[in-house]
Amino acid sequence: MSSPEDRDWVHTAVRVVEADANRSADTHLRVLDLPTEWGVRLYLKDESTHPTGSLKHRLARSLFLFGLSNGDIGPGTTLVEASSGSTAVSEAYFARLLGLDFVAVVPAATSTAKLDLIRRQDGRLHLVDDPGHVYAAAEELGARPGFFYLDQFAMASTVTDWRGNNNIACSIFEQLALEPHPEPEWIVVGAGTGGTSATIGRYCRYAQHGTKLAVADPEGSAFARAWRTGSRDVTARGSRIEGIGRPRVEPSFVPSVIDEVVTVPDDESVAAMRVLFERTGIRAGASTGTNLCVALRLVHRMRGEDRAGSVVTLVCDDGNRYLDTYWSDEWLAAKGFDLDAGRRAVEPLFP
């Protein structure tokens, strides 16, 4: 049983987290200009405008609110996550808001630039030599007295209220309300934890929308094969596109709410990211490029079927955090990306 003082602290903490959402308002739904004669509108839900610069800000907020409401997080709790990317940055941000310690369990080989983003939010680092042991190390650390493992991969589809409460799906439909085609034909997202696709797919069914959900999956991810075969035991080599694609099927991935999964070559993901910037000035990460490849192909499919309507996809995060990776020609060449081949494939998709 918690003490009255602890309960008061939790009440204050919930208000602090909710206040962050009020200050942040909502993320923008931007229009990617397409020729009027195409009859299709393409919208970009720009999640890079969150305070921590990515879609994972929503997940982190939900994980914290769930942990506080569930009695898992209290004054003095040390929070733990297995992440070296955007989720850890967002979680460290919320931990700092509440005056709590946060530890990101990361592979020792993680780049200094990524680690600095976590440190900038006062997060601490627990380095693990073998990347395959990161999850076990986080679970072990989170089991210590006074520690709590947030566990994004297991909890992502549980902690978000898929029925509404301004989740990302609810937000998309509200922002489309005055548009020419307020019920999109397709919503396109990637899958990392699987939480975003689960939320959108469930919401579309709950709200009785006819919108279909497509998952854009990078090379090396297990999700596409898992969706095709119905097996959760599928494994793969892993993704080179940060934030999406997994070597295993994560607990929060819900194949039954997904209408189509499309595998996108890595070269095309990076090329689409670059072309988006050249055409619009939006500097995003490679996972946004993965989304765009599928969204634009669906736009062209609708054109071929002479179907008017709308398609929505996500700008997942701010590309400035990838200046030394996906935005570096030298880094891409060293990693074996063929940007020219990617451009030849994706440039015809853009108007």
Side-chain angles (χ1 to χ4, degrees):
M1 180 184 295
S2 61
S3 68
E5 293 78 14
D6 286 355
R7 182 67 66 88
D8 287 344
W9 183 90
V10 168
H11 292 171
T12 300
V14 169
R15 285 197 297 273
V16 168
V17 175
E18 293 280 31
D20 171 82
N22 284 343
R23 289 193 303 273
S24 304
D26 206 348
T27 58
H28 305 303
L29 190 66
R30 306 172 69 154
V31 179
L32 183 63
D33 289 333
L34 302 178
T36 304
E37 60 269 23
W38 285 15
V40 183
R41 288 202 171 196
L42 177 56
Y43 298 89
L44 307 178
K45 179 71 166 162
D46 190 354
E47 295 293 285
S48 72
T49 60
H50 283 294
T52 54
S54 84
L55 168 66
K56 298 301 185 181
H57 196 85
R58 291 183 188 269
L59 172 58
R61 182 191 297 132
S62 295
L63 286 164
F64 271 72
L65 288 173
F66 185 85
L68 289 164
S69 303
N70 208 44
D72 299 316
I73 301 174
T77 302
T78 296
L79 300 162
V80 179
E81 185 60 273
S83 170
S84 59
S86 295
T87 301
V89 174
S90 297
E91 289 172 340
Y93 168 88
F94 282 107
R96 183 170 57 81
L97 280 184
L98 301 183
L100 300 176
D101 288 336
F102 173 79
V103 182
V105 181
V106 302
T110 302
S111 70
T112 301
K114 290 172 69 175
L115 299 181
D116 285 345
L117 289 173
I118 300 170
R119 291 191 184 103
R120 199 172 298 160
Q121 298 294 344
D122 294 339
R124 293 192 284 119
L125 303 170
H126 179 87
L127 304 180
V128 178
D129 290 331
D130 185 348
H133 292 162
V134 166
Y135 304 109
E139 188 173 355
E140 180 182 348
L141 186 60
R144 294 180 182 178
F147 285 64
F148 178 65
Y149 179 27
L150 291 160
D151 200 359
Q152 58 164 328
F153 292 106
M155 299 301 295
S157 65
T158 299
V159 300
T160 301
D161 185 354
W162 48 267
R163 291 166 295 185
N165 194 25
N166 198 37
N167 66 41
I168 189 169
C170 180
S171 175
I172 287 170
F173 281 94
E174 288 178 354
Q175 290 175 316
L176 284 172
L178 300 180
E179 297 300 303
H181 306 286
E183 183 173 277
E185 186 81 9
W186 289 94
I187 297 177
V188 180
V189 300
T193 63
T196 300
S197 57
T199 296
I200 293 173
R202 287 167 172 166
Y203 180 84
C204 287
R205 286 159 174 75
Y206 174 74
Q208 302 165 54
H209 292 300
T211 300
K212 297 184 286 292
L213 174 65
V215 166
D217 206 34
E219 290 181 64
S221 173
F223 291 134
R225 188 175 166 208
W227 181 79
R228 288 195 303 268
T229 64
S231 172
R232 300 193 71 89
D233 297 325
V234 170
T235 59
R237 63 169 168 81
S239 167
R240 294 192 297 173
I241 304 301
E242 186 168 327
I244 60 172
R246 302 292 301 158
R248 66 181 191 182
V249 182
E250 300 296 346
S252 291
F253 182 67
V254 183
S256 57
V257 303
I258 299 168
D259 296 287
E260 188 166 342
V261 178
V262 181
T263 299
V264 178
D266 293 343
D267 298 335
E268 295 183 19
S269 293
V270 177
M273 172 198 80
R274 296 284 189 96
V275 176
L276 176 67
F277 178 69
E278 293 161 7
R279 303 289 176 88
T280 69
I282 299 172
R283 188 187 291 274
S287 59
T288 298
T290 310
N291 288 343
L292 263 178
C293 287
V294 175
L296 285 165
R297 286 189 169 100
L298 290 172
V299 166
H300 286 283
R301 183 192 297 180
M302 291 172 65
R303 289 184 64 204
E305 296 170 349
D306 198 25
R307 292 174 62 88
S310 59
V311 176
V312 180
T313 192
L314 308 183
V315 175
C316 301
D317 56 10
D318 185 345
N320 286 306
R321 62 183 57 181
Y322 305 110
L323 294 180
D324 59 349
T325 55
Y326 301 120
W327 286 95
S328 165
D329 291 345
E330 294 77 14
W331 184 89
L332 290 175
K335 296 295 182 181
F337 286 82
D338 188 339
L339 189 57
D340 290 337
R343 281 184 173 277
R344 286 194 296 272
V346 304
E347 284 185 337
L349 300 175
F350 285 82

